Amino acid sequence: MESHGEEEYRGPVLHIVVVGFHHKKGCQVEFSYPPLIPGEGHDNSSLPEEWKYLPFLALPDGAHNYQEDTIYFHLPPRNGDRKTVYGVSCYRQIEAKALKVRQADVTRETVQKSVCVLSRLPLYGLLQAKLQLITHAYFEEKDFSQISILKELYDHMNGSLRGTSLEGSQVYLGLSPRDLILQFQHKVLILFKLILLEKKVLFYVSPVNRLVGALMTILSLLPGMIEHGLADSSHYKPRKSTSEDLNLIEVLGGSEDYVSVSVSDISNSSQESGGEAKETSGVNRNETHQAKLKQEDMSQSLTGDNHHLKPPSRTSPDSLESDWETLDPSALDEGAPKEENQEKDSFELPETFPSESAPSRTLPITVQPQPNTGQTVLVQGLVSGLEEDQFGLPLAVFTKGYLCLPYMALQQHHLLSDVTVRGFVAGATNILFRQQRQLSDAIVDVEEGRIHIQDPELRKVLSLTTADLRFADYLVKHVTENRDDVFLDGTGWEGGDEWIRAQFGLYLHSLLSTNLQQDNEKMLADYGAAFVNTWKITHNYRVWYSNKHPALSEITPGHPFQGQYSVADVKLRLSHSVQNSERGKKLGNAVITTSRSVVQTGKAVGQSVGGALTSAKSAMSSWFSTFAQAAPPGYSEQREAKP
């Protein structure tokens, strides 16, 4: 048994781990270097309590359906460390008969294993690129007892990554906003806003590499989020039993130790915080205010002005929370018919003109963001505990119990309803997560490029304004028009990944700058008054507003695409609504039915055409009546005023 000094654990890579599937024991750790538990052997399958879900994260649900896959996952900190541990796992399976050395416990026709890296740095794509090569070589040996290559991987990674800066394009390796916009179109901006509102967002698709790619790409649009905003994103406690002690809840501090708070103390402090919350809208930003904000955050992370901890309002007798927590296998069968009904009830965001949005009279901002080539100066945030730039970014979204879990194992299902978890951005491949709709505010179907939101109030809050649609359409056009040739020589900027991130950076910087202006209601209306009002009661906004950020004075306030309404805006709204609203989809289906009927022949065809035309006319009439009601205030007057 080898002993390892503390110096071996100081590198960016903490462990190299092999996880395999045992026909009797299920997923288990087969090798770790250095050992996960100091003093144990490399082949010891014991796990630290904080990392008990590691085997199920590294070897995901349904892995047997794919020859290979890649998983990104987050683990809670351990050993007194306060920062998230970032995991990257490469899964492969091989036929057992192909093995040169077949061990006694190999009883199935295929062998499934994952090689994973546990790192201190969120270099997902870079770690994946290195790990895939080694995993391929490890499987090509066809003898899994040959572990020397894994030890060499540990030494090589720590040598090559030591001193690596989290600035630059290597952080975003493998994350493509272009592909995301091609998949989600204008709805990418809705996903961006969902995360700013700290809602419970569940991404769903298989295999896992598509899932984590989409989720992490959305986060990469938030300036500094992947580099410095996820350090506090996985502070949760693994479940020890089905019965939890609700009289004592552990509340996480941004930079403090765990704090034990009783339920009675929480209720008392939440009453006191009512008056303190009002102070955040004023100009008092001294140290006393910051101290009060910390106390307020602790209480509101559980009681929450933004109602994150309200019981689900749509609990169905067919899908009780008890079934969810006990993992009764019959829950999957019972959920099947419910899934069909919920698909009918759930629909995407209807895009209408917000009644509170008044047209802005100023000219659109035409200055384009430039690529960031300089080194960003970072300071430790006094309240957030995160490393922040001069604008206060990254925003403290993933703190105080708001989790980022790129992939969730079925064994982690309880976190969705855990009272200490105020929200999450999580990814899942198991259908059970999707069927439990009442536990999420939004379910993102990556395969279909759709966002399912059942709460009509939240749909209203996230409805894109005309300025938002201009911004999103600007991105979509640049991406689609340059789709074929922009990267032929590798020098493309407009429409490229870095350009898209710069556009979202400008959007967020402008939003922050606008919030600091006096009499800013009209300018904020371009972002959506309902959205801005909801965002202002989130934790990340209150933390950001508690500090001064003089650098924002250099940012021009106002929406980057503000301006008067025009006929082009109406066409844009019309096109967007046809593609995304339920009535628009019915119209499209009716038109398709009509087209098919027209090209047919025979007597039955005449009846079919008549019915299809009636259907199209009905859908068109219904849809236009809704669109007319949603016309922007003053639009008809503007049109009539023209000569």
Side-chain angles (χ1 to χ4, degrees):
M1 185 180 301
E2 300 180 34
S3 61
H4 300 274
E6 293 184 2
E7 65 276 0
E8 294 190 55
Y9 296 91
R10 291 179 182 173
V13 173
L14 299 173
H15 303 275
I16 303 293
V17 181
V18 176
V19 174
F21 183 82
H22 192 277
H23 66 285
K24 291 183 178 179
K25 301 177 182 178
C27 299
Q28 65 175 8
V29 171
E30 298 179 345
F31 169 84
S32 59
Y33 182 84
L36 294 176
I37 299 180
E40 298 289 346
H42 296 306
D43 57 352
N44 190 292
S45 60
S46 300
L47 290 165
E49 179 62 25
E50 300 93 336
W51 293 354
K52 64 183 295 184
Y53 301 131
L54 171 58
F56 311 105
L57 294 169
L59 200 60
D61 295 332
H64 60 278
N65 295 319
Y66 303 95
Q67 286 298 116
E68 56 185 323
D69 203 355
T70 302
I71 306 98
Y72 301 162
F73 59 91
H74 292 167
L75 292 174
R78 59 184 290 247
N79 295 334
D81 192 358
R82 305 303 307 161
K83 294 186 177 181
T84 295
V85 174
Y86 308 95
V88 176
S89 175
C90 286
Y91 159 82
R92 289 194 66 183
Q93 64 174 324
I94 187 175
E95 292 186 354
K97 63 182 181 182
L99 295 175
K100 294 179 181 178
V101 178
R102 182 164 178 167
Q103 299 173 338
D105 59 351
V106 178
T107 60
R108 299 162 65 96
E109 294 182 357
T110 59
V111 178
Q112 303 166 10
K113 294 184 186 293
S114 287
V115 181
C116 58
V117 174
L118 303 183
S119 170
R120 301 179 191 271
L121 301 178
L123 297 171
Y124 306 96
L126 188 60
L127 293 173
Q128 175 186 341
K130 295 176 179 291
L131 187 58
Q132 281 180 329
L133 295 174
I134 298 301
T135 301
H136 179 76
Y138 182 53
F139 272 75
E140 284 300 308
E141 290 282 345
K142 296 181 174 59
D143 179 4
F144 295 119
S145 64
Q146 301 297 318
I147 59 175
S148 59
I149 190 174
L150 302 176
K151 295 181 179 180
E152 292 173 3
L153 173 64
Y154 173 82
D155 295 332
H156 167 73
M157 280 192 165
N158 271 321
S160 61
L161 297 178
R162 194 182 301 274
T164 300
S165 171
L166 287 178
E167 304 294 335
S169 59
Q170 64 180 357
V171 176
Y172 304 124
L173 185 63
L175 304 179
S176 175
R178 282 176 53 82
D179 293 342
L180 196 72
I181 289 178
L182 290 172
Q183 180 73 3
F184 284 93
Q185 301 284 307
H186 301 74
K187 293 187 286 291
V188 170
L189 184 54
I190 297 174
L191 293 174
F192 185 83
K193 286 187 166 186
L194 260 174
I195 295 175
L196 288 180
L197 295 183
E198 298 176 353
K199 296 300 180 182
K200 297 179 178 180
V201 185
L202 181 71
F203 285 72
Y204 179 84
V205 77
S206 292
V208 182
N209 67 80
R210 291 189 61 194
L211 175 75
V212 298
L215 189 151
M216 297 308 298
T217 300
I218 283 289
L219 298 189
S220 75
L221 301 179
L222 291 155
M225 186 59 70
I226 289 185
E227 299 94 315
H228 308 290
L230 302 178
D232 196 27
S233 66
S234 65
H235 277 81
Y236 64 85
K237 299 200 71 176
R239 193 169 196 169
K240 296 181 179 179
S241 64
T242 56
S243 59
E244 295 288 338
D245 183 8
L246 296 180
N247 294 326
L248 196 64
I249 301 171
E250 293 215 347
V251 183
L252 291 168
S255 57
E256 303 84 16
D257 293 333
Y258 289 101
V259 181
S260 297
V261 182
S262 66
V263 174
S264 60
D265 292 337
I266 293 170
S267 61
N268 293 336
S269 62
S270 64
Q271 294 176 359
E272 295 174 1
S273 66
E276 294 167 9
K278 298 179 181 178
E279 293 181 13
T280 61
S281 61
V283 295
N284 182 13
R285 304 178 184 179
N286 54 25
E287 295 181 359
T288 303
H289 170 74
Q290 294 177 3
K292 289 181 179 180
L293 183 61
K294 285 186 178 181
Q295 181 183 1
E296 177 189 355
D297 289 340
M298 185 176 66
S299 61
Q300 291 193 1
S301 64
L302 295 178
T303 58
D305 284 346
N306 46 4
H307 310 293
H308 279 126
L309 298 175
K310 276 193 171 183
S313 58
R314 299 171 183 264
T315 303
S316 168
D318 297 331
S319 179
L320 297 177
E321 193 169 333
S322 58
D323 291 336
W324 172 254
E325 300 205 344
T326 57
L327 280 180
D328 185 354
S330 63
L332 283 172
D333 300 329
E334 295 173 2
K338 181 187 172 188
E339 176 74 4
E340 294 182 7
N341 296 333
Q342 287 182 331
E343 286 289 353
K344 295 178 182 179
D345 296 336
S346 173
F347 52 91
E348 292 188 82
L349 267 92
E351 303 300 342
T352 58
F353 283 104
S355 59
E356 66 272 13
S357 295
S360 176
R361 302 294 178 181
T362 57
L363 295 175
I365 297 175
T366 57
V367 178
Q368 294 301 304
Q370 298 300 314
N372 180 18
T373 57
Q375 196 79 359
T376 304
V377 178
L378 302 171
V379 295
Q380 192 79 10
L382 296 177
V383 179
S384 68
L386 304 175
E387 294 184 1
E388 302 174 354
D389 64 12
Q390 67 270 31
F391 304 108
L393 300 176
L395 295 173
V397 175
F398 296 101
T399 59
K400 299 288 184 180
Y402 190 79
L403 304 182
C404 175
L405 303 173
Y407 172 70
M408 282 189 75
L410 190 58
Q411 289 73 12
Q412 295 176 297
H413 70 281
H414 65 279
L415 294 176
L416 300 187
S417 55
D418 193 321
V419 70
T420 63
V421 176
R422 64 185 180 90
F424 53 81
V425 176
T429 58
N430 194 295
I431 189 65
L432 186 58
F433 285 93
R434 181 172 178 173
Q435 290 174 340
Q436 299 291 325
R437 289 176 176 267
Q438 74 275 13
L439 298 178
S440 302
D441 295 316
I443 296 180
V444 182
D445 188 330
V446 178
E447 180 70 34
E448 299 293 332
R450 299 179 63 185
I451 308 170
H452 300 278
I453 299 176
Q454 297 194 61
D455 183 6
E457 288 300 318
L458 182 56
R459 289 200 298 269
K460 179 181 177 182
V461 167
L462 291 169
S463 180
L464 296 182
T465 66
T466 297
D468 280 343
L469 275 179
R470 291 172 184 162
F471 171 73
D473 191 62
Y474 179 70
L475 299 178
V476 171
K477 285 183 176 178
H478 272 72
V479 169
T480 55
E481 290 174 0
N482 298 326
R483 184 175 183 179
D484 296 328
D485 57 1
V486 69
F487 287 121
L488 280 179
D489 57 358
T491 59
W493 164 242
E494 284 201 12
D497 291 337
E498 291 300 319
W499 180 86
I500 295 170
R501 292 191 185 96
Q503 299 296 330
F504 276 95
L506 173 63
Y507 183 95
L508 185 56
H509 285 134
S510 300
L511 174 59
L512 296 173
S513 176
T514 306
N515 269 279
L516 298 179
Q517 305 302 310
Q518 299 292 330
D519 301 323
N520 57 6
E521 288 79 7
K522 289 185 177 180
M523 287 191 292
L524 288 176
D526 284 323
Y527 294 95
F531 164 74
V532 173
N533 291 335
T534 305
W535 178 48
K536 284 185 176 181
I537 63 175
T538 62
H539 171 72
N540 72 79
Y541 177 85
R542 291 183 291 114
V543 169
W544 172 82
Y545 194 75
S546 68
N547 292 314
K548 293 182 178 180
H549 308 289
L552 282 171
S553 61
E554 303 175 4
I555 305 296
T556 304
H559 198 293
F561 284 80
Q562 62 188 338
Q564 294 183 349
Y565 293 119
S566 66
V567 175
D569 294 322
V570 177
K571 292 180 179 178
L572 177 59
R573 176 72 64 180
L574 180 65
S575 173
H576 187 61
S577 298
V578 167
Q579 295 176 18
N580 294 284
S581 69
E582 284 299 306
R583 288 190 177 92
K585 289 173 184 173
K586 291 179 181 178
L587 173 61
N589 292 334
V591 171
I592 292 174
T593 303
T594 304
S595 300
R596 289 174 179 171
S597 300
V598 167
V599 298
Q600 296 177 3
T601 60
K603 181 178 179 181
V605 174
Q607 299 174 353
S608 176
V609 171
L613 289 173
T614 303
S615 174
K617 181 179 179 182
S618 175
M620 177 72 77
S621 175
S622 175
W623 186 82
F624 267 111
S625 64
T626 303
F627 179 78
Q629 296 173 2
Y635 173 73
S636 59
E637 290 81 352
Q638 292 175 18
R639 188 172 61 174
E640 292 171 2
K642 293 182 179 181

